[in-house]
Amino acid sequence: MSRIATDTAPLVSARNVHKSFGHNEVLKGIDLDVMPGEVVVVLGPSGSGKSTFLRCINHLEAINRGSIMVAGEQIGYRLNGERLVKLSPRAIAAQRRQIGMVFQQFNLFPHMTALENIIEAPVGVHGHSRKEATDYAMELLARIGLTEKANAYPRQLSGGQQQRVAIARALAIRPKLMLFDEPTSALDPELVGEVLATMRDLAGQGLTMIVVTHEIGFAREAADRVVFMDGGLVVEEGRPEEVLANPSHPRTRLFLSRFIREAA
Amino acid sequence: MSSAAEPMHDRQATLRDVANAHRPFEWGRWLLWAFVLAVGANFAWIVAWNPNFGWPVVAQWFTAESILRGLYVTLGLTVVAMVIGVVIGLLLAIARLSDDRLFSGLAGLFIWFFRGTPLLVQLIFWYNLSTLFPEISISIPFGPTLVSWHTNDLITPMTAAIAGLSLNEAAYMAEIIRGGLLSVDKGQSEASDAFGMTRARALWRVIIPQAMRSIVPPTGNQLISMIKATSLVSVIAMADLLYSVQAVYNRTFEVVPMLMVAVIWYLVITTVLNIGQGFIERYYARGERGATERMPVIAEATP
């Protein structure tokens, strides 16, 4: 795919990432590079650690071993000569400002209208003017086809509309990287399509995306690369047509067969 | 046959339309209303014509200057103590919820002490602080003194009352606010974090506005308790509303009429506060199901 810059440094670079909750080791050494403009879909059974890994990328979860670099900066830490030093909460907040995130449960701010949700971070965190932020927000709302819902509160929107507003909210900060944490898992089946369509549009526009999902169809159509996780490890990765059609690992085969049977 | 049945059928449908239904006449409810109203009217009549209540005296003193001055002290003390209490309570609640052991421990200690001792005792201690610490000074611990004041210059009945009431209130408000902050969905602070908001901004813009829904009703409760708690300051010679009526009946021995003056004023304040609380609750309910919709600025697009 020509839109992926293969000759430059990766935008995201995870090395030997380990994460435990108490005695439960959820990530057991993840290595993953994501190139600028690349769309990576992470598949895997529930409990495989894929959501946890995504949340480590913007430091919503702190990792126990290894390192994660985004756009040349180590997430959560700073190298001071030979010593690796933990960043202050303020510095971590600054690192997160280049990463957009979409949640399974949308997490829109319920006391703000759709428009207010979208301009909150641009105005309050990035210091854009209200006028500029509102103009861009209206442009984003037009792109997702929800112009007329600008002044609606989240409760007045359907699940699919809420998730599209949440995507617009994440885009409003003009992120270098977008993280999607099972964006369609909380939706009624008939509302999944509209959210996936919005995400496919974004994928076509050269945005770097890491998508954790169960939507095999989306992976097939929109992904540049599919990563299959199981038991806290990446067991297989490659181009979607290869991994989805000819899985080499037995775990991948088992997982995919279950989905294909469901679809049939 | 079918042609005759159809109009019959239509008529049935009209008759059975619940939009035209009538409410049955409820004899029991009407009788109960009549009984309660009769008892209420009778009670009001008895109270109004009972000379022991001394209504002319009540009317005479209701807006007397000394009473209004007392009312002013009560209201002023309530507002100042409540504002300081809410501000310190908010800081305590945030400290109590922080991951930092030092902050949460100190906040816990404060709440434990000020909720665990009677307000009356706290007021007396503040008022008599000079007997415990004749001088208050700022100094380096175990080191030289930088500034120092005589306690008696700092502690007047007014400052003792404000300190006592507001610190006690802060301890209660801290727990109310902490409960409110905990009631907000965890996803909200996660979303704020993911957008790179600082902790302070996330609290101010996202968490507190949502917590207000569960903070306002118990705070209204606290405010009303506070109005009445201010009457305790009469023990440290603050001339509040209750103290002012006591000053009158100690001279005139018209105890009941003067207490009625205070009771009516307390009820008037409480009523005004209840109405205000209703407005505040409706404001923070916006975005909730059933709340009034904001008028759309942009016209509905035609599909």
Side-chain angles (χ1 to χ4, degrees), chain A residues 78-218:
Chain A
R78 174 174 58 90
L79 206 53
N80 190 4
E82 295 283 291
R83 279 158 53 93
L84 191 64
V85 189
K86 229 178 177 168
L87 286 178
S88 68
R90 202 164 272 278
I92 291 170
Q95 285 187 333
R96 286 171 174 148
R97 284 171 202 166
Q98 49 187 341
I99 305 172
M101 188 164 192
V102 175
F103 298 87
Q104 183 176 354
Q105 300 294 342
F106 328 139
N107 293 351
L108 288 175
F109 305 133
H111 58 301
M112 299 182 191
T113 63
L115 182 63
E116 288 167 348
N117 263 281
I118 297 172
I119 67 172
E120 179 58 31
V123 173
V125 179
H126 294 256
H128 297 176
S129 76
R130 183 164 283 271
K131 165 90 175 62
E132 183 193 351
T134 306
D135 287 349
Y136 190 49
M138 291 311 295
E139 193 185 314
L140 288 168
L141 280 169
R143 234 156 85 189
I144 59 171
L146 289 176
T147 303
E148 76 275 18
K149 298 291 185 190
N151 292 298
Y153 285 101
R155 277 280 166 82
Q156 298 157 346
L157 301 174
S158 74
Q161 290 171 335
Q162 286 188 52
Q163 192 60 298
R164 281 146 69 200
V165 170
I167 292 172
R169 176 176 70 163
L171 289 173
I173 61 169
R174 300 172 205 261
K176 285 186 183 150
L177 170 68
M178 279 282 276
L179 306 175
F180 292 85
D181 186 8
E182 305 203 20
T184 56
S185 298
L187 293 174
D188 290 337
E190 76 268 24
L191 301 176
V192 169
E194 57 185 87
V195 172
L196 290 181
T198 303
M199 289 168 62
R200 256 194 305 272
D201 281 353
L202 296 177
Q205 288 159 16
L207 190 65
T208 313
M209 294 165 52
I210 304 178
V211 183
V212 169
T213 185
H214 291 290
E215 296 292 332
I216 310 278
F218 176 78

Side-chain angles (χ1 to χ4, degrees), chain A residues 7-83:
Chain A
D7 51 339
T8 56
L11 183 66
V12 180
S13 178
R15 289 287 170 275
N16 192 31
V17 171
H18 287 254
K19 170 71 187 172
S20 306
F21 294 105
H23 292 296
N24 181 21
E25 194 173 32
V26 182
L27 301 179
K28 297 173 180 167
I30 304 275
D31 289 295
L32 185 74
D33 281 341
V34 179
M35 302 308 287
E38 196 176 16
V39 176
V40 173
V41 170
V42 183
L43 297 174
S46 37
S48 60
K50 54 194 192 309
S51 276
T52 303
F53 175 62
L54 196 75
R55 293 159 56 82
C56 289
I57 295 174
N58 63 354
H59 209 270
L60 284 182
E61 305 287 356
I63 62 177
N64 302 118
R65 205 194 300 175
S67 68
I68 298 177
M69 308 280 290
V70 174
E73 276 186 56
Q74 182 165 4
I75 293 298
Y77 298 85
R78 174 174 58 90
L79 206 53
N80 190 4
E82 295 283 291
R83 279 158 53 93

Side-chain angles (χ1 to χ4, degrees), chain B:
Chain B
M1 185 178 160
S2 65
S3 56
E6 255 167 35
M8 272 292 280
H9 197 76
D10 273 358
R11 180 149 171 70
Q12 273 286 316
T14 317
L15 282 174
R16 289 207 175 272
D17 187 348
V18 295
N20 307 322
H22 296 269
R23 180 189 282 275
F25 194 77
E26 292 167 279
W27 284 104
R29 282 180 54 80
W30 280 103
L31 279 173
L32 200 59
W33 267 99
F35 177 71
V36 169
L37 286 177
V39 169
N42 187 240
F43 183 71
W45 183 264
I46 291 169
V47 170
W49 290 102
N50 185 334
N52 298 329
F53 280 100
W55 295 114
V57 182
V58 172
Q60 180 201 330
W61 283 98
F62 194 63
T63 52
E65 206 204 325
S66 70
I67 303 297
L68 291 183
R69 226 180 299 127
L71 179 69
Y72 182 73
V73 168
T74 290
L75 286 175
L77 211 51
T78 303
V79 169
V80 171
M82 200 66 197
V83 168
I84 298 175
V86 167
V87 170
I88 298 177
L90 177 63
L91 297 176
L92 285 171
I94 293 169
R96 190 111 174 78
L97 287 172
S98 99
D99 296 329
D100 193 312
R101 281 270 190 75
L102 179 66
F103 285 119
S104 73
L106 285 176
L109 192 68
F110 182 103
I111 294 166
W112 169 77
F113 182 79
F114 283 95
R115 281 200 312 179
T117 52
L119 177 55
L120 185 61
V121 176
Q122 287 175 31
L123 283 170
I124 293 169
F125 265 84
W126 280 110
Y127 188 54
N128 297 301
L129 199 63
S130 62
T131 58
L132 299 172
F133 305 102
E135 275 190 2
I136 293 175
S137 55
I138 296 174
S139 63
I140 296 156
F142 306 109
T145 301
L146 303 176
V147 208
S148 128
W149 298 274
H150 288 290
T151 306
N152 272 334
D153 296 341
L154 293 180
I155 299 290
T156 61
M158 181 59 114
T159 50
I162 289 176
L165 290 172
S166 58
L167 293 183
N168 184 264
E169 189 58 31
Y172 284 94
M173 282 310 299
E175 288 296 276
I176 290 173
I177 294 171
R178 186 170 71 97
L181 297 179
L182 285 173
S183 76
V184 178
D185 181 51
K186 209 173 162 296
Q188 294 291 312
S189 52
E190 242 170 37
S192 315
D193 283 349
F195 281 100
M197 290 190 196
T198 56
R199 180 98 182 106
R201 188 172 173 86
L203 273 170
W204 186 245
R205 292 285 302 170
V206 177
I207 310 297
I208 291 175
Q210 294 180 62
M212 286 303 275
R213 271 177 64 72
S214 44
I215 291 175
V216 170
T219 303
N221 232 0
Q222 286 299 114
L223 187 55
I224 287 167
S225 311
M226 170 65 94
I227 289 163
K228 290 172 295 174
T230 55
S231 62
L232 286 176
V233 301
S234 53
V235 299
I236 56 171
M238 268 290 275
D240 75 317
L241 180 56
L242 191 65
Y243 186 91
S244 308
V245 301
Q246 284 169 337
V248 174
Y249 70 59
N250 284 340
R251 274 198 328 268
T252 65
F253 303 107
E254 290 160 326
V255 178
V256 171
M258 291 317 293
L259 285 178
M260 288 310 289
V261 169
V263 164
I264 294 171
W265 271 120
Y266 281 122
L267 284 175
V268 166
I269 301 168
T270 307
T271 307
V272 171
L273 289 175
N274 277 341
I275 295 168
Q277 185 181 339
F279 280 108
I280 295 173
E281 280 178 20
R282 241 161 291 145
Y283 174 78
Y284 282 108
R286 72 195 194 284
E288 285 297 313
R289 203 182 295 276
T292 48
E293 278 187 44
R294 188 184 284 194
M295 290 303 285
V297 177
I298 293 152
E300 287 284 324
T302 44

